[in-house]
Amino acid sequence: MTDQVKESAAAPTSEMDFSRVLDEALNAVMTVKSAASDLATRAISADRAELFQSARSLESRVLEATPYLDNLLLVVRRAKHHTIESAYREILGKPGRENDAEKLRLIMGEVSEIQTIINAANQNVTSFLKLLSSSTRLANAGSGDLPPERNLLGKA
C-alpha cells in the first residue's frame, strides 16, 4: 500500500472523507475497466505485440487500483460490514447519503462488468493463441505432400 493510500486508510472522520475514498475507488475501477475493455478488443484483432502491450497495461492499472480498493474495503470492514453490498444497503437507507450509496452501487456494477470483460478477453486470447498455434503447426507441417504453390503458404 502506498504512503498516500495509507494516510487515507485512516478511519474517515466524516462522511466527506468517506466520499473521497469512494471517489478514489470508483476512479480506480473505471481505469481498470477501460484497460480491460482495450485488452478484450485487441484480443480480437491485434497482433501479438499489441495484445501483449494491452495485457501489460491492464496489469499495471490493476496494480495502481488495488490500494484504493483495499482502502475502501478497510473502511467497510471498520464499519463492521463484511461486503461492500452490505455497506451499500446500510447507506442507502440513510437520508443525505444518496451520493455515497450511488457511488457504491456504481463500484459494484463496474466490478461486475470488469469480470465479464475479463472473461470475454480471456476467451478471445485463448482463441487467438489456439489459432496462432494451429497456423504455426500448419506452416511447419510436412510440406512435401503439397503441390509447389501450396508450399509457398507454409513459407509465408
Coordinates of all heavy atoms in Angstrom, one line a residue, residues 95-145:
P95 N -30.8 9.1 5.2 CA -31.0 10.4 4.5 C -29.7 11.2 4.3 O -28.8 11.2 5.2 CB -32.0 11.1 5.4 CG -32.5 10.2 6.4 CD -31.5 9.0 6.4
G96 N -29.5 11.8 3.1 CA -28.4 12.6 2.8 C -27.2 11.8 2.4 O -26.1 12.3 2.1
R97 N -27.3 10.5 2.3 CA -26.2 9.6 1.9 C -26.4 9.0 0.5 O -25.7 8.1 0.1 CB -26.0 8.5 2.9 CG -25.7 8.9 4.3 CD -24.3 9.5 4.5 NE -23.2 8.8 4.1 CZ -22.5 7.9 4.8 NH1 -22.9 7.6 6.0 NH2 -21.5 7.3 4.3
E98 N -27.3 9.6 -0.3 CA -27.7 9.1 -1.6 C -26.5 9.0 -2.5 O -26.3 8.1 -3.3 CB -28.8 9.9 -2.2 CG -30.1 9.8 -1.5 CD -30.2 10.8 -0.3 OE1 -29.4 11.7 -0.1 OE2 -31.2 10.6 0.4
N99 N -25.6 10.1 -2.5 CA -24.4 10.1 -3.4 C -23.5 9.0 -3.1 O -22.9 8.3 -4.0 CB -23.7 11.5 -3.3 CG -24.4 12.5 -4.1 OD1 -25.2 12.3 -4.9 ND2 -24.2 13.8 -3.7
D100 N -23.2 8.8 -1.8 CA -22.3 7.7 -1.4 C -22.9 6.3 -1.8 O -22.2 5.4 -2.3 CB -22.1 7.7 0.1 CG -21.2 8.8 0.6 OD1 -20.5 9.4 -0.3 OD2 -21.1 9.1 1.8
A101 N -24.2 6.2 -1.6 CA -24.9 4.9 -2.0 C -24.8 4.7 -3.5 O -24.5 3.6 -4.0 CB -26.3 4.9 -1.6
E102 N -24.9 5.8 -4.3 CA -24.8 5.7 -5.7 C -23.4 5.3 -6.1 O -23.2 4.5 -7.0 CB -25.2 7.0 -6.4 CG -25.1 7.0 -7.9 CD -26.0 6.0 -8.6 OE1 -26.9 5.4 -8.0 OE2 -25.7 5.8 -9.8
K103 N -22.4 5.9 -5.5 CA -21.0 5.5 -5.8 C -20.7 4.1 -5.5 O -20.1 3.4 -6.3 CB -20.0 6.4 -5.0 CG -20.0 7.9 -5.5 CD -19.2 8.7 -4.6 CE -19.4 10.2 -4.9 NZ -18.6 11.1 -4.0
L104 N -21.2 3.6 -4.4 CA -21.0 2.2 -4.0 C -21.7 1.3 -5.1 O -21.2 0.2 -5.5 CB -21.6 1.9 -2.6 CG -20.6 2.2 -1.5 CD1 -21.3 2.0 -0.1 CD2 -19.4 1.4 -1.5
R105 N -22.9 1.7 -5.5 CA -23.7 0.9 -6.5 C -22.9 0.9 -7.8 O -22.7 -0.2 -8.4 CB -25.1 1.5 -6.7 CG -25.9 0.7 -7.6 CD -27.2 1.4 -8.1 NE -26.9 2.5 -8.9 CZ -26.6 2.5 -10.2 NH1 -26.4 1.3 -10.8 NH2 -26.4 3.6 -10.9
L106 N -22.3 2.0 -8.2 CA -21.5 2.1 -9.4 C -20.3 1.2 -9.3 O -19.9 0.5 -10.3 CB -21.1 3.5 -9.7 CG -22.2 4.4 -10.2 CD1 -21.7 5.9 -10.3 CD2 -22.7 4.0 -11.6
I107 N -19.6 1.2 -8.1 CA -18.4 0.4 -8.0 C -18.8 -1.1 -8.1 O -18.1 -1.8 -8.8 CB -17.7 0.7 -6.6 CG1 -17.1 2.1 -6.6 CG2 -16.7 -0.4 -6.2 CD1 -16.6 2.6 -5.3
M108 N -19.9 -1.5 -7.5 CA -20.3 -2.9 -7.6 C -20.6 -3.2 -9.0 O -20.2 -4.3 -9.5 CB -21.5 -3.2 -6.6 CG -21.1 -3.1 -5.2 SD -22.5 -3.6 -4.1 CE -23.8 -2.4 -4.5
G109 N -21.3 -2.4 -9.7 CA -21.6 -2.6 -11.1 C -20.4 -2.7 -12.0 O -20.3 -3.6 -12.9
E110 N -19.5 -1.7 -11.8 CA -18.3 -1.7 -12.6 C -17.4 -2.9 -12.4 O -16.9 -3.5 -13.3 CB -17.5 -0.4 -12.4 CG -18.2 0.8 -12.8 CD -18.5 0.9 -14.3 OE1 -17.6 0.6 -15.1 OE2 -19.6 1.3 -14.6
V111 N -17.3 -3.4 -11.2 CA -16.5 -4.6 -10.9 C -17.2 -5.8 -11.6 O -16.5 -6.6 -12.1 CB -16.4 -4.8 -9.3 CG1 -15.9 -6.2 -9.0 CG2 -15.5 -3.7 -8.7
S112 N -18.5 -5.9 -11.6 CA -19.2 -7.0 -12.2 C -18.9 -6.9 -13.7 O -18.6 -7.9 -14.4 CB -20.7 -6.9 -11.9 OG -21.3 -7.9 -12.6
E113 N -19.0 -5.7 -14.3 CA -18.7 -5.6 -15.7 C -17.2 -5.9 -16.1 O -17.0 -6.5 -17.1 CB -19.0 -4.1 -16.2 CG -20.5 -3.9 -16.3 CD -20.8 -2.5 -16.9 OE1 -20.0 -2.0 -17.8 OE2 -21.7 -1.9 -16.5
I114 N -16.3 -5.5 -15.2 CA -14.9 -5.8 -15.4 C -14.7 -7.3 -15.5 O -14.0 -7.9 -16.3 CB -14.0 -5.2 -14.3 CG1 -13.9 -3.7 -14.5 CG2 -12.6 -5.8 -14.4 CD1 -13.3 -3.0 -13.3
Q115 N -15.4 -8.1 -14.6 CA -15.3 -9.5 -14.5 C -15.8 -10.1 -15.9 O -15.2 -11.0 -16.4 CB -16.1 -10.1 -13.4 CG -15.9 -11.6 -13.2 CD -14.4 -12.0 -12.9 OE1 -13.8 -11.4 -12.0 NE2 -13.9 -12.9 -13.7
T116 N -16.9 -9.6 -16.4 CA -17.5 -10.0 -17.6 C -16.5 -9.8 -18.8 O -16.2 -10.6 -19.6 CB -18.8 -9.4 -17.9 OG1 -19.7 -9.7 -16.8 CG2 -19.4 -9.8 -19.2
I117 N -15.9 -8.6 -18.8 CA -15.0 -8.2 -19.8 C -13.7 -9.1 -19.8 O -13.2 -9.5 -20.8 CB -14.6 -6.7 -19.7 CG1 -15.8 -5.8 -20.1 CG2 -13.4 -6.3 -20.6 CD1 -15.6 -4.3 -19.7
I118 N -13.2 -9.3 -18.6 CA -12.0 -10.1 -18.4 C -12.3 -11.5 -18.9 O -11.5 -12.1 -19.6 CB -11.5 -10.1 -17.0 CG1 -11.1 -8.7 -16.5 CG2 -10.5 -11.2 -16.7 CD1 -9.8 -8.3 -17.3
N119 N -13.5 -12.1 -18.6 CA -13.8 -13.4 -19.0 C -13.9 -13.4 -20.6 O -13.4 -14.4 -21.2 CB -15.1 -13.9 -18.4 CG -15.0 -14.2 -17.0 OD1 -13.9 -14.4 -16.4 ND2 -16.2 -14.2 -16.3
A120 N -14.5 -12.4 -21.2 CA -14.5 -12.4 -22.6 C -13.1 -12.2 -23.2 O -12.8 -12.9 -24.2 CB -15.4 -11.2 -23.1
A121 N -12.3 -11.4 -22.6 CA -11.0 -11.2 -23.1 C -10.2 -12.5 -23.0 O -9.4 -12.9 -23.9 CB -10.2 -10.1 -22.3
N122 N -10.4 -13.2 -21.9 CA -9.7 -14.5 -21.7 C -10.1 -15.5 -22.8 O -9.2 -16.2 -23.4 CB -10.0 -15.0 -20.3 CG -9.2 -16.3 -20.1 OD1 -8.1 -16.4 -20.4 ND2 -9.9 -17.3 -19.4
Q123 N -11.4 -15.5 -23.1 CA -11.8 -16.4 -24.2 C -11.2 -16.0 -25.6 O -10.8 -16.8 -26.3 CB -13.3 -16.4 -24.3 CG -14.0 -17.1 -23.1 CD -15.5 -17.0 -23.1 OE1 -16.1 -16.2 -23.9 NE2 -16.1 -17.7 -22.2
N124 N -11.2 -14.7 -25.8 CA -10.6 -14.2 -27.1 C -9.1 -14.4 -27.2 O -8.6 -14.8 -28.2 CB -10.9 -12.7 -27.2 CG -12.3 -12.3 -27.4 OD1 -13.1 -13.2 -27.8 ND2 -12.7 -11.1 -27.1
V125 N -8.4 -14.2 -26.1 CA -7.0 -14.5 -26.1 C -6.7 -16.0 -26.3 O -5.8 -16.4 -27.1 CB -6.3 -14.0 -24.8 CG1 -4.9 -14.5 -24.6 CG2 -6.3 -12.5 -24.7
T126 N -7.5 -16.8 -25.6 CA -7.3 -18.3 -25.8 C -7.6 -18.7 -27.2 O -6.8 -19.5 -27.8 CB -8.3 -19.0 -24.8 OG1 -8.0 -18.7 -23.5 CG2 -8.2 -20.5 -25.0
S127 N -8.6 -18.1 -27.8 CA -8.9 -18.4 -29.2 C -7.8 -18.0 -30.1 O -7.4 -18.7 -31.1 CB -10.2 -17.8 -29.7 OG -11.3 -18.3 -28.9
F128 N -7.3 -16.8 -29.8 CA -6.2 -16.2 -30.6 C -5.0 -17.1 -30.5 O -4.3 -17.4 -31.5 CB -5.9 -14.8 -30.1 CG -4.7 -14.2 -30.7 CD1 -4.8 -13.5 -32.0 CD2 -3.4 -14.2 -30.1 CE1 -3.7 -12.9 -32.5 CE2 -2.3 -13.6 -30.7 CZ -2.4 -13.0 -31.9
L129 N -4.6 -17.6 -29.3 CA -3.5 -18.4 -29.2 C -3.7 -19.8 -29.8 O -2.7 -20.3 -30.4 CB -3.2 -18.6 -27.7 CG -2.7 -17.3 -27.0 CD1 -2.5 -17.6 -25.5 CD2 -1.4 -16.8 -27.6
K130 N -4.9 -20.3 -29.8 CA -5.2 -21.6 -30.5 C -5.0 -21.4 -32.0 O -4.4 -22.3 -32.7 CB -6.6 -22.1 -30.2 CG -6.7 -22.7 -28.8 CD -8.1 -23.2 -28.5 CE -8.2 -23.7 -27.1 NZ -9.6 -24.1 -26.9
L131 N -5.5 -20.3 -32.5 CA -5.4 -20.0 -33.9 C -3.9 -19.9 -34.3 O -3.5 -20.4 -35.3 CB -6.2 -18.7 -34.3 CG -6.1 -18.3 -35.7 CD1 -6.7 -19.4 -36.6 CD2 -6.8 -17.0 -35.9
L132 N -3.2 -19.1 -33.5 CA -1.8 -19.0 -33.8 C -1.0 -20.3 -33.7 O -0.2 -20.6 -34.6 CB -1.2 -18.0 -32.7 CG 0.3 -17.6 -32.9 CD1 0.5 -16.9 -34.2 CD2 0.8 -16.8 -31.7
S133 N -1.4 -21.1 -32.7 CA -0.7 -22.4 -32.6 C -1.1 -23.3 -33.8 O -0.2 -24.0 -34.4 CB -1.2 -23.1 -31.3 OG -0.7 -24.4 -31.2
S134 N -2.3 -23.3 -34.2 CA -2.8 -24.1 -35.4 C -2.1 -23.6 -36.6 O -1.6 -24.4 -37.4 CB -4.3 -24.0 -35.6 OG -4.9 -24.5 -34.5
S135 N -2.0 -22.3 -36.8 CA -1.3 -21.8 -38.0 C 0.2 -22.1 -38.0 O 0.7 -22.4 -39.1 CB -1.6 -20.3 -38.2 OG -0.9 -19.6 -37.2
T136 N 0.8 -22.1 -36.9 CA 2.2 -22.5 -36.8 C 2.4 -23.9 -37.1 O 3.3 -24.3 -37.9 CB 2.8 -22.2 -35.4 OG1 2.6 -20.8 -35.1 CG2 4.2 -22.5 -35.3
R137 N 1.5 -24.8 -36.6 CA 1.6 -26.2 -36.9 C 1.4 -26.5 -38.4 O 2.1 -27.3 -39.0 CB 0.6 -27.0 -36.1 CG 1.2 -27.4 -34.7 CD 0.2 -28.2 -34.0 NE -0.7 -27.2 -33.3 CZ -1.9 -27.4 -32.9 NH1 -2.5 -28.6 -33.1 NH2 -2.6 -26.5 -32.3
L138 N 0.4 -25.7 -39.0 CA 0.2 -25.9 -40.4 C 1.4 -25.5 -41.2 O 1.8 -26.2 -42.2 CB -1.0 -25.1 -40.9 CG -2.4 -25.7 -40.5 CD1 -3.5 -24.7 -40.8 CD2 -2.6 -27.0 -41.2
A139 N 2.0 -24.4 -40.8 CA 3.2 -23.9 -41.6 C 4.4 -24.8 -41.5 O 5.2 -25.0 -42.4 CB 3.5 -22.5 -41.1
N140 N 4.5 -25.5 -40.3 CA 5.6 -26.4 -40.1 C 5.3 -27.8 -40.5 O 6.1 -28.7 -40.4 CB 6.0 -26.4 -38.6 CG 6.6 -25.0 -38.2 OD1 7.2 -24.3 -39.1 ND2 6.4 -24.7 -37.0
A141 N 4.1 -28.1 -40.9 CA 3.7 -29.5 -41.3 C 4.5 -30.0 -42.5 O 5.0 -29.2 -43.2 CB 2.2 -29.5 -41.6
G142 N 4.5 -31.3 -42.6 CA 5.2 -31.9 -43.8 C 4.7 -31.3 -45.1 O 3.7 -31.7 -45.6
S143 N 5.4 -30.4 -45.6 CA 5.0 -29.7 -46.8 C 5.4 -30.5 -48.1 O 5.0 -30.1 -49.2 CB 5.6 -28.3 -46.9 OG 7.0 -28.4 -46.8
G144 N 6.0 -31.6 -47.9 CA 6.4 -32.4 -49.1 C 5.2 -33.0 -49.8 O 5.3 -33.3 -51.0
D145 N 4.1 -33.2 -49.1 CA 2.9 -33.8 -49.8 C 2.1 -32.7 -50.5 O 1.2 -33.1 -51.2 CB 2.0 -34.4 -48.7 CG 2.7 -35.4 -47.9 OD1 3.7 -36.0 -48.4 OD2 2.3 -35.7 -46.8

